[in-house]
Amino acid sequence: MEHPPRSTYHDDEISLVDLAKILIYRRWWFLGAFLIVVLASLSWVLLKNTEIQDGTIKYQYTTQLAVGYKTPTELIEPLLSIEEQLNGAIIPTVKQGSDEFSSLNVDLKYNDGSNIISLVTQASEGQNRSVTDFHQALIEPIVERHDRLLKNLNQQPSSFFQDGSQTQQLVPSERVSLAVKTPQTTLPQGPNAKLIIVLGIVLGGIVGVIVAFFTEFAAKVRESIKQEVV
């Protein structure tokens, strides 16, 4: 009676023992790759936290301009018009005129029905003086122009209101505040250090295993080539 041929499948199997032996033989490759990944993740966490602590955006500087009135209900100039002039001409001109201001940005904020327009810049504490000068350079031309407009209106009160429906009440524009520094309401958050380190350890283990097995595979290939050459 003939016996069926013995399966050779088990000869091609790689047992867990073989895998463990490979990791033991190539343990220095495994440990090297593992430590590189873990140290890289740790360095990244430290770097990001340092950037948050010493970053260039920590404080908010706010300057407020109260736009004057030419009647009890009519501003000297609409806030939308002031915003367009600042964005279209004044801000670009001031930034181009000084390297000190070139890196600074400003957001304009105002509410309908109010006469207050706010200039807001985010910058580090060390840029306090630069932001102050920057905001001052932005609002000066507006205040000066409004003063000229009021002067002209004051010289011609009778021709300005011919129907008598409103009384002339000239109130000049003025700076309410200049570069008032406050902490940001939402500070940038650093990375979750524990999570990043845990992920680094897991990734380091995976990379270490891959490097160890690739090293073993490369060694087997070299050995096979040498045998064929001989």
Side-chain angles (χ1 to χ4, degrees):
M1 180 176 178
E2 295 182 357
H3 295 282
R6 182 181 298 178
S7 174
T8 59
Y9 175 74
H10 66 279
D11 295 333
D12 297 329
E13 289 182 343
I14 299 179
S15 67
L16 293 178
V17 174
D18 294 331
L19 296 178
K21 287 181 179 179
I22 292 175
L23 290 178
I24 293 173
Y25 293 152
R26 304 298 178 181
R27 60 185 179 277
W28 298 118
W29 287 94
F30 171 83
L31 291 175
F34 176 79
L35 290 177
I36 289 174
V37 174
V38 172
L39 291 177
S41 63
L42 181 61
S43 300
W44 187 83
V45 169
L46 294 176
L47 178 62
K48 288 299 179 182
N49 281 324
T50 301
E51 288 178 354
I52 295 299
Q53 295 171 4
D54 301 327
T56 58
I57 299 179
K58 278 187 177 180
Y59 295 96
Q60 179 173 286
Y61 296 85
T62 304
T63 294
Q64 290 187 326
L65 173 66
V67 180
Y69 290 87
K70 55 185 177 182
T71 75
T73 59
E74 187 177 2
L75 297 174
I76 299 175
E77 187 176 19
L79 299 184
L80 179 59
S81 176
I82 296 174
E83 180 185 22
E84 291 175 348
Q85 293 175 52
L86 283 166
N87 287 328
I90 298 176
I91 294 176
T93 300
V94 171
K95 293 181 69 172
Q96 290 174 5
S98 173
D99 293 337
E100 183 182 8
F101 304 148
S102 61
S103 63
L104 298 176
N105 294 313
V106 61
D107 294 324
L108 305 178
K109 301 179 180 179
Y110 62 87
N111 296 321
D112 294 335
S114 170
N115 72 322
I116 302 294
I117 184 167
S118 299
L119 287 70
V120 180
T121 295
Q122 293 178 339
S124 65
E125 186 174 13
Q127 294 177 290
N128 192 342
R129 184 72 262 170
S130 297
V131 175
T132 300
D133 294 341
F134 180 49
H135 284 192
Q136 181 66 34
L138 295 180
I139 65 173
E140 274 184 354
I142 298 173
V143 174
E144 292 175 356
R145 187 177 71 259
H146 289 180
D147 288 343
R148 291 194 300 270
L149 291 173
L150 288 184
K151 184 177 180 180
N152 292 335
L153 292 174
N154 194 38
Q155 292 173 353
Q156 302 174 347
S158 59
S159 62
F160 189 74
F161 297 100
Q162 296 180 355
D163 57 1
S165 60
Q166 296 192 68
T167 58
Q168 183 174 343
Q169 180 178 336
L170 305 181
V171 178
S173 298
E174 63 177 350
R175 187 189 72 204
V176 178
S177 62
L178 179 61
V180 177
K181 182 181 72 173
T182 55
Q184 286 181 291
T185 54
T186 304
L187 292 174
Q189 299 296 318
N192 188 323
K194 292 182 179 179
L195 177 61
I196 298 299
I197 293 175
V198 169
L199 292 177
I201 292 173
V202 173
L203 181 60
I206 295 173
V207 172
V209 170
I210 293 174
V211 169
F213 281 102
F214 180 80
T215 304
E216 179 67 16
F217 172 74
K220 294 293 185 181
V221 171
R222 288 197 302 268
E223 183 180 347
S224 176
I225 293 175
K226 289 181 180 179
Q227 291 177 353
E228 290 181 0
V229 171
V230 173

